[in-house]
Amino acid sequence: MAILRVEALMKDYAAGGRATRAVDSVNFTVEPGEFITFVGPSGCGKSTLLHILGGFIPKTSGRILLNGREITGPGPDRGMVFQEPALFPWRTVEDNVTWALEVSGAPRAGRRLVAGRYLEMVNLERFRHHYPHQLSGGMKQRVALARVLAFDPQILLMDEPFGALDAQTRELMQEELNTVWQRTRKTVLFVTHDIDEAVYLADRVVVFTAWPGTIKEIVTIDIPRPRAIEIKKSPVYAELRNRIWDSLRHEVLKSRGEGGSVYGVSSGAAGGEARA
Ligand code: ADP
């Protein structure tokens, strides 16, 4: 059975006395343990979709079923990682990771074990007694990932988690996330601007149309796992990346024609990173 089922999801924002449709007629299902990435022109509603799934903003209409039960607000079954890691600056790395367990009343010894397990998974065990200001951007994001994994949600929602990192760190983080996924087999929904990242990480890539966002197509990434970063040099990878870029390019041009915010394509390379 699908772990997540999204049916006819629609979202209107009320702004300046007018309704803006951000997401329209979105339908998809996710199987347990799948890694799904979402790409689409800037402003097409990817982040809105993820926040609705997290229960942080209300939908206008449609249904979201998690394990067959409709969700209407946030819950411990879903964990979210944002572009900015938002760690508690006054807490150590370990105490950041165990925060949710502490709130739920778990004993200290158990919390330390859980922190150790996930900090080891993201290669930060040596830094458990450091404070966030002593860490690089990539390290902070790894703490945020360990923190969300520590409360063991069924679904990880990741909203451009590597968007603020430099290119090299980003690539390392992608590899690390793939390894973490391989070990935990969490169901992941991951929004990104970066087509390379979307293909490398995903079992399926969901391509959104220009505003208002709806699903244009879902592309299966039939590349065996585990995936070393070197697969980015393979012909099958290039083919998939180019195919998604062709699909997206059309939407980007459409959104540009409508005067919305659009991607700027880096260095003219098909499938390169594209940013607003
Ligand atoms: P994406 O993540 O694909 O860049 P968003 O989900 O952030 O897109 O935004 C989708 C659309 O909804 C955009 O047109 C954006 O301006 C609008 N929007 C997002 N948040 C709000 C809000 N709080 N109030 C009004 N409009 C919003």
Side-chain angles (χ1 to χ4, degrees):
M1 188 177 89
I3 186 168
L4 183 72
R5 186 175 290 278
V6 175
E7 295 175 352
L9 189 71
M10 196 258 274
K11 172 69 183 173
D12 285 341
Y13 285 111
R18 283 188 16 208
T20 307
R21 183 145 304 172
V23 173
D24 197 14
S25 310
V26 168
N27 297 285
F28 63 94
T29 57
V30 180
E31 299 302 316
E34 262 196 303
F35 201 125
I36 309 284
T37 55
F38 294 85
V39 293
S42 190
C44 74
K46 306 178 293 297
S47 191
T48 296
L49 169 67
L50 222 59
H51 281 76
I52 295 173
L53 295 177
F56 301 117
I57 55 174
K59 63 187 188 295
T60 302
S61 61
R63 291 206 311 164
I64 301 163
L65 302 166
L66 183 60
N67 294 313
R69 291 190 27 214
E70 189 153 9
I71 54 164
T72 51
D77 41 21
R78 283 149 289 145
M80 189 124 175
V81 179
F82 301 91
Q83 184 167 334
E84 294 301 331
L87 303 176
F88 301 119
W90 62 88
R91 297 181 75 122
T92 62
V93 163
E94 175 175 298
D95 289 344
N96 264 283
V97 171
T98 58
W99 169 76
L101 299 172
E102 197 178 313
V103 170
S104 69
R108 183 160 177 82
R111 297 200 310 259
R112 283 181 60 89
L113 272 177
V114 172
R117 171 159 184 243
Y118 290 108
L119 286 173
E120 183 262 320
M121 208 178 275
V122 298
N123 291 318
L124 280 181
E125 228 188 346
R126 285 185 301 128
F127 297 91
R128 62 196 297 162
H129 301 305
H130 283 58
Y131 285 87
H133 75 270
Q134 298 172 297
L135 308 178
S136 68
M139 290 160 91
K140 283 185 201 161
Q141 204 51 293
R142 280 147 64 196
V143 177
L145 180 59
R147 179 172 65 179
V148 82
L149 289 169
F151 72 87
D152 200 22
Q154 291 184 42
I155 298 188
L156 270 184
L157 303 168
M158 306 185 80
D159 191 9
E160 298 224 36
F162 308 149
L165 304 177
D166 63 80
Q168 291 88 349
T169 307
R170 188 171 190 148
E171 191 137 301
L172 291 172
M173 292 291 292
Q174 291 165 9
E175 205 171 12
E176 198 155 280
L177 179 59
N178 243 346
T179 308
V180 168
W181 178 86
Q182 205 73 40
R183 285 176 67 178
T184 61
R185 296 299 172 126
K186 287 277 173 215
T187 307
V188 185
L189 274 63
F190 186 108
V191 165
T192 179
H193 268 93
D194 184 335
I195 299 169
D196 272 318
E197 181 166 279
V199 173
Y200 173 67
L201 292 171
D203 294 312
R204 290 187 294 152
V205 178
V206 177
V207 181
F208 261 64
T209 63
W211 173 89
T214 192
I215 294 175
K216 181 175 189 185
E217 62 169 334
I218 300 182
V219 180
T220 299
I221 306 299
D222 217 356
I223 300 176
R225 293 181 185 271
R227 293 177 189 165
I229 207 81
E230 286 70 36
I231 65 123
K232 290 191 177 184
K233 296 181 194 138
S234 71
V236 60
Y237 179 86
E239 196 179 303
L240 283 161
R241 193 189 57 185
N242 291 344
R243 159 145 185 237
I244 291 166
W245 174 238
D246 283 345
S247 181
L248 195 52
R249 192 179 134 80
H250 182 71
E251 298 306 317
V252 171
L253 292 174
K254 230 166 58 181
S255 71
R256 181 173 291 171
E258 287 167 13
S261 55
V262 293
Y263 281 91
V265 182
S266 67
S267 63
E273 185 172 353
R275 292 206 154 273

